[in-house]
């Protein structure tokens, strides 16, 4: 009984400020085995949708995390992420989720990207994924962590795993797209995995969370 109570109390509870279930799955998977219990926004009915009107991933991630921490009274983390193609002036960037228009799905965004890149070869196909993770505390303080994954855009979609632009993104040094990799291979190389590793180191130093996970 005391042991169970100790386990319950020793978990740090964090609200995941995202409506993207695939992100929730990736973040929970990367933190599996640690003293962190993630709560979804579904646990907080009436939670407002936060408009992503920032010019940078950091501004959007901070806005989401701070708004949700304020609404819920809990520590919140948010992820703002996307793809930057250098030859397209870093597009789609912060517009990655709505590149083909408001409400566009992953397939439409990805097909638009391939259309825009038609005729581009070699270095012009270089791209990177960016992920900014913001953590906001109920007292109004916050911190951000950014991770990058460099690679190039394939000429056609390959693979069925992951989400978003994964079927056309080949990380540097690999002939496979993220969508052709296993979840743990992607986590090891991904922008989200790298940003979360920085968050984990911060939480470990500040709040003494710990655990076992080969990815971190
Ligand atoms: P929330 O704002 O609710 O978290 P969202 O899907 O709107 O969910 P973003 O505004 O951060 O999230 O947009 C991220 C988009 O960038 C996402 O929809 C994908 O198109 C793309 N993206 C981000 N991370 C990715 C990844 O690991 N693999 C493939 N595409 C990714």
């Amino acid at each position: 009984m005391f042991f169970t109570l100790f386990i319950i109390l020793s978990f740090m509870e964090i609200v995941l400020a995202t409506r993207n279930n695939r992100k929730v799955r990736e973040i929970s998977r990367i933190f599996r085995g640690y003293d962190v219990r993630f709560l979804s926004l579904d646990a907080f009915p009436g939670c407002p949708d936060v408009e992503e009107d920032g010019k940078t991933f950091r501004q959007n991630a901070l806005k989401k995390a701070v708004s949700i921490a304020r609404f819920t009274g809990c520590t919140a983390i948010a992820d703002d992420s996307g793809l930057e193609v250098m030859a397209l002036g870093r597009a789609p960037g912060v517009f990655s989720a709505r590149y083909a228009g408001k409400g566009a799905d992953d397939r439409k965004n990805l097909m638009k990207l391939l259309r825009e890149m038609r005729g581009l070869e070699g270095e012009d196909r270089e791209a990177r994924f960016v992920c900014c993770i913001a953590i906001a505390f109920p007292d109004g303080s916050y911190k951000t962590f950014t991770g990058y994954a460099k690679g190039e855009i394939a000429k056609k979609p390959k693979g069925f795993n992951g989400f978003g632009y994964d079927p056309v993104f080949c990380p540097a040094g690999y002939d496979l797209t993220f969508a052709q990799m296993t979840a743990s291979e992607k986590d090891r190389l991904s922008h989200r995995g790298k940003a979360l590793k920085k968050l984990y180191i911060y939480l470990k130093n500040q709040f003494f969370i710990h655990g076992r996970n080969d990815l971190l």
Side-chain angles (χ1 to χ4, degrees), residues 110-182:
L110 186 153
M111 294 320 286
K112 175 170 179 189
L113 179 74
L114 291 182
R115 270 199 314 278
E116 297 286 323
M117 294 187 70
R118 210 172 278 153
L120 296 183
E121 299 286 342
E123 284 182 4
D124 281 345
R125 303 200 72 84
E126 284 177 3
R128 66 177 186 181
F129 269 126
V130 184
C131 172
C132 180
I133 297 278
I135 184 163
F137 300 95
D139 68 0
S141 60
Y142 55 78
K143 222 46 208 148
T144 58
F145 308 90
T146 304
Y148 301 92
K150 283 189 183 170
E152 61 182 54
I153 302 302
K155 292 198 171 153
K156 52 181 193 221
K158 286 180 270 180
F160 300 98
N161 299 330
F163 68 100
Y165 299 91
D166 282 344
V168 291
F169 183 83
C170 294
Y174 292 81
D175 274 337
L176 300 174
T177 66
F178 268 167
Q180 291 175 299
M181 295 185 169
T182 62

Side-chain angles (χ1 to χ4, degrees), residues 17-20 22-23 26 52 57 64 79-83 93-94 96-98 106 109 129-130 162-167 178 186 190-192:
T18 175
R19 300 270 178 206
N20 183 329
R22 272 98 40 107
K23 278 188 190 174
E26 282 199 9
E52 293 181 38
F57 295 109
K64 290 190 265 189
D79 159 316
D80 200 57
S81 45
L83 183 71
V94 289
S96 293
R98 49 202 148 111
D106 284 351
N109 288 330
F129 269 126
V130 184
F163 68 100
Y165 299 91
D166 282 344
F178 268 167
K186 178 183 172 187
S190 84
H191 48 312
R192 188 163 296 102

Side-chain angles (χ1 to χ4, degrees), residues 6-65:
F6 173 72
I7 296 282
I8 290 169
L9 292 177
S10 65
F11 271 82
M12 180 174 190
E13 288 202 326
I14 300 181
V15 184
L16 277 183
T18 175
R19 300 270 178 206
N20 183 329
N21 290 332
R22 272 98 40 107
K23 278 188 190 174
V24 171
R25 224 175 292 148
E26 282 199 9
I27 295 170
S28 312
R29 182 171 80 214
I30 294 170
F31 263 79
R32 193 185 304 138
Y34 286 87
D35 303 347
V36 174
R37 188 198 309 279
F38 288 117
L39 304 175
S40 100
L41 286 180
D42 297 339
F44 300 92
C47 219
D49 273 337
V50 181
E51 196 194 347
E52 293 181 38
D53 51 6
K55 288 194 174 62
T56 63
F57 295 109
R58 185 173 181 275
Q59 284 171 0
N60 283 335
L62 263 179
K63 188 175 177 191
K64 290 190 265 189

